[in-house]
Amino acid sequence: QELCRRQEEKAAEDILDEEGKGALEEETVLLKDQAHDQEPDREHGPEISSVFSREPMDYRVEEYVPAEMEITPISTAEFVKKESLALITERMRRILEAEAPIAYDRLIKKTLRSFDIGRSSPQTLEAAEKAFKKAGAKVNKQAGVKFLWNPGQEPEHYPMYRSEIHCEDRRSPKEICQQELKNAVCLTLQEKGPMNKEMLVKETIRT
C-alpha cells in the first residue's frame, strides 16, 4: 500500500512539473467547459512549501461550494475608510471559511464584489490588503500565485479534490492549488489504474 501511494504521488509530481502542469491547465479549460455543457443545470502568515504528504491519505472528491455572500453596496470612498476595515475583514473570513484553499486574487475579487465594487483601484486593493492581514489566513505561493488556507487546514495532509461540474462560479485552472491537483491525480490512479501521462491528464480532469 505504501509503495502504491509513493508511485501515485510520483506520477502526480510528474504531472505538476512545469510542462505537465501547463498541459493539465490547458485540458482543464477545455474539459471543464465540455463537462459543464453536458451536465444538467443545477507579510501575512507562515509559508508552506510541500505539496506531498509524508503520511498515507484517504483521497476523496467533494463538491465545490462557493461562499454565498449578500451584496452590500458601498462607494469606493466608504470602502477605503478605516471604519470599514472590520466589515471587510469579516467578509473575507466568511469567504475563507467556505472556499479555502483559495487563490488570493479570487478572495479579493469576491470581497469587492460583495460590496458591489466591480473594478478595483489602488485604493481599494490597499484597503483589502489591510483587511486580509487581519483575517488570519495561512499563505503559500505556488508558481507565483498566493494560496490561502484556514488556520485549521494542513496543506500537507489535505485530502480533497473539489469538483465544480455543477458549479457556476467555477475557478480558473490557476486558482486551483497544487495540493488539490495532486489529489485529483492520485484519485484517478487509484480508481482507474496505471496509464500514460497524456491519458492521465485527461482522466484527471474528469475526476
Side-chain angles (χ1 to χ4, degrees), residues 12-32:
E13 192 170 19
D14 290 342
I15 286 290
L16 293 176
D17 65 18
E18 185 174 351
E19 178 183 356
K21 188 172 185 290
L24 185 58
E25 288 175 352
E26 290 172 9
E27 291 287 344
T28 301
V29 174
L30 176 62
L31 293 175
K32 275 190 174 182

Side-chain angles (χ1 to χ4, degrees), residues 45-190:
E47 290 206 350
I48 306 136
S49 58
S50 177
V51 173
F52 294 91
S53 171
R54 295 181 180 85
E55 300 296 332
M57 283 198 289
D58 178 22
Y59 301 110
R60 53 191 186 273
V61 180
E62 64 178 21
E63 186 174 353
Y64 183 80
V65 181
E68 294 186 7
M69 306 297 294
E70 67 276 12
I71 304 298
T72 308
I74 65 174
S75 67
T76 297
E78 290 177 293
F79 185 85
V80 301
K81 286 182 178 179
K82 183 178 180 181
E83 291 76 15
S84 299
L85 184 61
L87 179 58
I88 300 169
T89 302
E90 185 269 337
R91 288 285 171 89
M92 285 188 174
R93 285 175 175 157
R94 286 171 57 190
I95 296 169
L96 283 162
E97 183 177 354
E99 298 193 35
I102 181 174
Y104 176 82
D105 288 349
R106 180 176 173 86
L107 173 68
I108 299 302
K109 185 184 302 182
K110 295 197 72 164
T111 301
L112 292 175
R113 194 185 306 157
S114 77
F115 292 102
D116 202 25
I117 298 175
R119 182 175 296 181
S120 63
S121 68
Q123 292 76 24
T124 56
L125 292 177
E126 181 181 359
E129 174 70 9
K130 289 178 180 177
F132 170 67
K133 288 179 178 179
K134 293 181 175 296
K138 297 179 181 179
V139 182
N140 78 307
K141 288 185 179 181
Q142 301 171 7
V145 179
K146 286 196 293 189
F147 285 94
L148 316 175
W149 300 75
N150 287 316
Q153 292 177 316
E154 294 296 336
E156 289 188 10
H157 303 287
Y158 186 73
M160 301 291 186
Y161 174 72
R162 295 175 291 175
S163 172
E164 298 169 275
I165 290 176
H166 305 295
C167 179
E168 294 185 1
D169 185 17
R170 292 182 290 168
R171 298 169 292 176
S172 71
K174 291 184 179 179
E175 291 177 332
I176 302 175
C177 68
Q178 289 187 4
Q179 284 84 357
E180 274 196 75
L181 292 175
K182 180 268 295 184
N183 294 345
V185 173
C186 290
L187 274 164
T188 301
L189 289 167
Q190 286 179 356

Side-chain angles (χ1 to χ4, degrees), residues 1-9 55-59 190:
Q1 183 180 3
E2 177 68 13
L3 178 59
C4 288
R5 183 182 70 85
R6 291 298 180 189
Q7 290 172 340
E8 289 160 2
E9 293 204 337
E55 300 296 332
M57 283 198 289
D58 178 22
Y59 301 110
Q190 286 179 356

